[in-house]
Amino acid sequence: MTRRSTLSGLLAALAIPTLLAACSGGGGASAIPTIPPSTPTPAPTEAPSEAITSVGYPEGCPAAQPDPMPAGETRTVTITTDKGDIVLKITADLSPIATGNFVALAECGYYTGVVFHRLVPAFVIQGGDGQFGRVPNVTDDAGMGGPPYTIKDEPVTAQYKRGTVAMARTSAPDSVGSQFFVVLDDAAATALATYNTYQIIGEVTAGLDVVDAISAMPNSGQDSGNAALEPVPMTKVTVANP
């Protein structure tokens, strides 16, 4: 069995059978868009092998799980794209391990040139695959890569909502690497909370219009994993300590 067929099986296994939105269509009072009933989870990733992740991994980036972010601290991460800037507030107390990992990867330049490879309307946009989703060499395997390590799981103690930033993962324990997603709509919270395993690291504080613009770009459709057809890269990612 090839790696691609193995991953295709993994994606099928991770599909959410039903996603319930605040408005289920028809004459509901809420104007929140309905999430498609078979939208997959925002985690089409596999714990990568060292052989795969060693290709193109930026020098100076972590070789193993970085130190947790100290309690009480925050970071401002600015993602520059050709659609505009997305500003994130990363909060240690939400998920110390995951926030420490995200910030370390941002600081070492891992995310520079990486694209948003998956666009699920009314649900999430996903990016952070530095192996197969980095310009100018984005491949059909974008969404399958990550750093040469994964991090420990942490409990989810906050609620998912529009603008939430969280880490993508597979169904396997301790499978988070570098991929992350931004929640597009409050209605997505129900589906995400059903799993409640995606470590929340922060929220978008400016640039949600940019997130929406990226989500509106063409994608391959639900049956093909909502892959971005014209993937938008993160041309620059900077970290500031408020």
Side-chain angles (χ1 to χ4, degrees):
M1 181 179 291
T2 66
R3 178 177 175 81
R4 177 179 289 277
S5 62
T6 300
L7 289 166
S8 297
L10 176 62
L11 289 173
L14 285 174
I16 296 177
T18 56
L19 291 187
L20 303 178
C23 171
S24 58
S30 172
I32 298 175
T34 301
I35 299 173
S38 58
T39 301
T41 73
T45 61
E46 182 173 272
S49 69
E50 184 176 353
I52 291 173
T53 58
S54 63
V55 178
Y57 192 60
E59 185 177 352
C61 284
Q65 177 180 294
D67 292 337
M69 186 184 293
E73 293 194 5
T74 64
R75 298 289 186 274
T76 299
V77 175
T78 302
I79 300 172
T80 300
T81 77
D82 61 8
K83 300 291 184 182
D85 289 354
I86 305 168
V87 181
L88 314 178
K89 180 182 179 181
I90 305 301
T91 303
D93 293 347
L94 290 171
S95 300
I97 294 173
T99 54
N101 176 61
F102 180 80
V103 168
L105 290 171
E107 288 179 328
C108 76
Y110 178 85
Y111 291 118
T112 300
V114 174
V115 304
F116 289 99
H117 62 267
R118 188 162 183 252
L119 314 174
V120 188
F123 194 44
V124 302
I125 64 170
Q126 182 174 332
D129 176 358
Q131 270 57 60
F132 304 114
R134 186 187 297 277
V135 292
N137 299 312
V138 181
T139 76
D140 291 340
D141 286 318
M144 309 303 183
Y149 64 87
T150 55
I151 66 173
K152 293 292 185 181
D153 291 336
E154 296 170 284
V156 177
T157 58
Q159 294 184 332
Y160 304 99
K161 61 182 180 180
R162 173 169 165 79
T164 293
V165 183
M167 301 303 295
R169 54 170 295 141
T170 71
S171 58
D174 303 329
S175 57
V176 169
S178 58
Q179 295 191 40
F180 65 95
F181 61 90
V182 180
V183 178
L184 297 174
D185 202 293
D186 289 341
T190 301
L192 294 167
T194 299
Y195 288 78
N196 213 45
T197 56
Y198 305 109
Q199 285 150 279
I200 295 175
I201 60 173
E203 62 180 343
V204 176
T205 57
L208 271 173
D209 58 328
V210 178
V211 173
D212 291 338
I214 293 172
S215 74
M217 295 291 288
N219 73 78
S220 63
Q222 185 173 303
D223 292 340
S224 300
N226 295 103
L229 298 180
E230 300 173 18
V232 174
M234 308 175 209
T235 56
K236 185 178 181 181
V237 180
T238 59
V239 179
N241 190 348

